[in-house]
């Protein structure tokens, strides 16, 4: 009701602008242990439903994925449930973003300032980031998503290199040289898992690469998302993922030089 909603907003906006920004970043990370507890409780409350597979369909009605089947059934159900809960909670994330905009706590300049000394976005790609964030606050979510989803992969690739991880692998035919390691594999490498910890790593995998989650990177790359799906719900999550990455500060001058060369 309105009283509960007002209390939620009042609590969220309490503190300094920096306090509010950090709450926005940290409170909207799905907590994997809580997600597993939800999954356990749902299985106990509805044991028969837990044995029934969930089939997902594309926009044309084609069956795409059976969730809850095979050796990875529990992982599939976990990621699918996490995705559905993020969709349900999107209304609260939208309220937070709207209130932060009203209070000038969140804006294009605020987010760009978060990345002004960051090495995660190369100088040659910063214009893409700036245009994507500008489109977000102009409510041009189609542009936001198409610019920032590929850039997120580039950002994780740079972060992997910073941590000493591999970003290239040999092609199947050695004569063809090397190929870039894709985002799903980068998020699974030890360097990223150790740095981000499980909550953030699983969040990013769900949002961008897991077939049972939101899977934005893969669906966008293959042209499988419809126009109306590039909306505030999707854009809010993408921008939140970047704001989360802004918490990682890499300032070593020598490493900066090495990263800029990649």
């Amino acid at each position: 009701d309105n009283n509960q909603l007002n209390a939620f907003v009042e609590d969220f906006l309490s503190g300094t602008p920096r306090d509010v920004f950090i709450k926005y970043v940290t409170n909207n990370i799905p907590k994997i242990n809580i997600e597993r507890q939800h999954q356990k409780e749902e299985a106990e409350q509805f044991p028969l439903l837990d044995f029934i597979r969930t089939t997902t369909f594309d926009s044309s009605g084609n069956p795409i994925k059976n969730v809850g089947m095979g050796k990875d059934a529990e992982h599939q159900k976990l990621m699918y449930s996490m995705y559905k809960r993020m969709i349900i909670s999107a209304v609260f994330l939208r309220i937070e973003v709207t209130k932060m905009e009203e209070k000038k706590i969140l804006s294009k300049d605020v987010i760009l300032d978060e990345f002004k000394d960051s090495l995660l976005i190369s100088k040659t790609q910063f214009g893409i980031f700036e245009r994507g964030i500008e489109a977000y606050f102009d409510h041009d979510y189609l542009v936001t998503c198409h610019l920032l989803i590929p850039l997120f992969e580039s950002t994780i690739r740079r972060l992997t290199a910073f941590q000493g991880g591999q970003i290239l692998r040999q092609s199947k035919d050695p004569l063809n040289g090397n190929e870039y390691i894709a985002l799903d594999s980068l998020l699974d490498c030890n360097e990223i898992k150790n740095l981000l910890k499980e909550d953030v790593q699983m969040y990013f995998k769900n949002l961008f690469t897991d077939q049972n989650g939101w899977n934005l990177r893969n669906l966008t790359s293959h042209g499988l998302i419809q126009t109306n799906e590039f909306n505030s719900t999707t854009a809010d999550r993408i921008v939140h993922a970047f704001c989360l990455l802004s918490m990682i500060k890499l300032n070593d001058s020598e490493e900066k030089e090495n990263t800029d060369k990649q």
Side-chain angles (χ1 to χ4, degrees), residues 38 80 104 111 118 146 187 195 204 213 223 227 235:
H38 282 315
Y80 184 71
K104 310 299 183 185
I111 294 179
S118 175
H146 276 86
L187 289 172
L195 175 68
F204 287 165
T227 303

Side-chain angles (χ1 to χ4, degrees), residues 148-166:
L148 295 188
I149 289 173
L151 187 62
F152 184 86
E153 180 166 357
S154 175
T155 303
I156 294 296
R157 185 173 293 115
R158 288 174 64 84
L159 181 58
T160 303
F162 248 108
Q163 297 303 114
Q166 297 295 317

Side-chain angles (χ1 to χ4, degrees), residues 21-70:
F21 182 83
I22 291 175
K23 279 190 282 187
Y24 152 73
V25 170
T26 57
N27 291 353
N28 289 295
I29 304 169
K31 306 302 186 290
I32 194 64
N33 286 337
I34 295 177
E35 295 295 333
R36 290 184 176 123
Q37 183 62 31
H38 282 315
Q39 186 179 10
K40 179 181 178 182
E41 292 171 355
E42 289 167 359
E44 292 172 349
Q45 292 174 9
F46 310 103
L48 293 180
L49 287 178
D50 190 55
F51 285 104
I52 299 174
R53 75 184 186 194
T54 298
T55 301
T56 62
F57 297 82
D58 67 12
S59 60
S60 300
N62 300 310
I64 299 300
K65 184 73 177 176
N66 291 325
V67 180
M69 302 295 293

Side-chain angles (χ1 to χ4, degrees), residues 232-250:
S232 62
T233 298
T234 304
D236 283 345
R237 276 295 169 184
I238 296 168
V239 171
H240 174 263
F242 271 97
C243 289
L244 178 52
L245 284 179
S246 75
M247 300 289 101
I248 301 173
K249 303 300 182 183
L250 305 171

Side-chain angles (χ1 to χ4, degrees), residues 44-257:
E44 292 172 349
Q45 292 174 9
F46 310 103
L48 293 180
L49 287 178
D50 190 55
F51 285 104
I52 299 174
R53 75 184 186 194
T54 298
T55 301
T56 62
F57 297 82
D58 67 12
S59 60
S60 300
N62 300 310
I64 299 300
K65 184 73 177 176
N66 291 325
V67 180
M69 302 295 293
K71 63 179 182 179
D72 295 326
E74 294 306 311
H75 173 79
Q76 294 169 12
K77 289 186 286 186
L78 175 66
M79 297 302 272
Y80 184 71
S81 296
M82 184 190 300
Y83 157 65
K84 297 301 288 186
R85 269 186 276 274
M86 282 195 285
I87 293 294
I88 293 170
S89 65
V91 61
F92 297 103
L93 179 55
R94 176 94 300 247
I95 290 171
E96 290 181 1
V97 169
T98 300
K99 294 300 181 181
M100 291 173 74
E101 284 190 79
E102 292 175 359
K103 298 290 185 179
K104 310 299 183 185
I105 297 171
L106 192 69
S107 66
K108 170 190 170 184
D109 291 338
V110 167
I111 294 179
L112 294 181
D113 190 60
E114 288 292 323
F115 281 91
K116 69 177 182 179
D117 296 321
S118 175
L119 306 178
L120 294 179
I121 301 175
S122 68
K123 293 179 180 179
T124 56
Q125 291 187 311
F126 200 84
I128 299 173
F129 181 62
E130 184 173 8
R131 179 67 183 89
I133 296 299
E134 180 180 31
Y136 176 63
F137 289 102
D138 288 340
H139 302 167
D140 191 349
Y141 302 124
L142 189 148
V143 171
T144 297
C145 296
H146 276 86
L147 290 179
L148 295 188
I149 289 173
L151 187 62
F152 184 86
E153 180 166 357
S154 175
T155 303
I156 294 296
R157 185 173 293 115
R158 288 174 64 84
L159 181 58
T160 303
F162 248 108
Q163 297 303 114
Q166 297 295 317
I167 62 173
L168 296 170
R169 62 186 171 202
Q170 192 176 69
S171 300
K172 292 182 180 179
D173 183 349
L175 295 178
N176 290 334
N178 297 318
E179 60 186 15
Y180 282 106
I181 297 174
L183 180 58
D184 54 345
S185 296
L186 293 175
L187 289 172
D188 270 331
C189 75
N190 289 332
E191 290 80 8
I192 292 299
K193 290 168 71 172
N194 292 336
L195 175 68
L196 299 182
K197 307 305 179 186
E198 189 177 26
D199 284 347
V200 177
Q201 184 236 3
M202 293 288 279
Y203 173 40
F204 287 165
K205 284 176 65 67
N206 192 298
L207 190 56
F208 290 102
T209 66
D210 195 287
Q211 291 184 3
N212 303 286
W214 215 317
N215 198 21
L216 288 172
R217 181 267 189 193
N218 295 331
L219 293 178
T220 302
S221 298
H222 296 296
L224 296 173
I225 299 185
Q226 308 308 303
T227 303
N228 62 353
E229 295 176 84
F230 293 112
N231 51 31
S232 62
T233 298
T234 304
D236 283 345
R237 276 295 169 184
I238 296 168
V239 171
H240 174 263
F242 271 97
C243 289
L244 178 52
L245 284 179
S246 75
M247 300 289 101
I248 301 173
K249 303 300 182 183
L250 305 171
N251 295 312
D252 186 273
S253 59
E254 182 177 351
E255 287 191 290
K256 178 179 186 300
E257 181 181 352

